[in-house]
Amino acid sequence: MDEDAAAIDRFIREAGIAGVDELRARRMELVRQLAAAEDELRATRDEVAALTSAEQERRAELLGV
């Protein structure tokens, strides 16, 4: 069993496949990036909503409604 585990570990290292710790760190970084992208998207949606409301108000004023 130990020989098999060592062979698998050696294969993973030689193939350049990331280890568990490296994969975990990469996953955490991707989760952080995703959260940042979600925050940015939320802010953009809020900005678009505010601009849309302002444009609707401006049009209503121009039409005298």
Side-chain angles (χ1 to χ4, degrees), residues 1-15 17:
M1 219 36 160
D2 290 335
E3 290 178 21
D4 291 339
I8 292 170
D9 186 53
R10 188 173 52 255
F11 171 79
I12 288 172
R13 279 185 279 125
E14 289 173 0
I17 300 171

Side-chain angles (χ1 to χ4, degrees), residues 48-59:
V48 168
L51 291 172
T52 300
S53 295
E55 180 62 18
Q56 288 173 343
E57 290 175 14
R58 187 187 70 79
R59 288 181 183 183

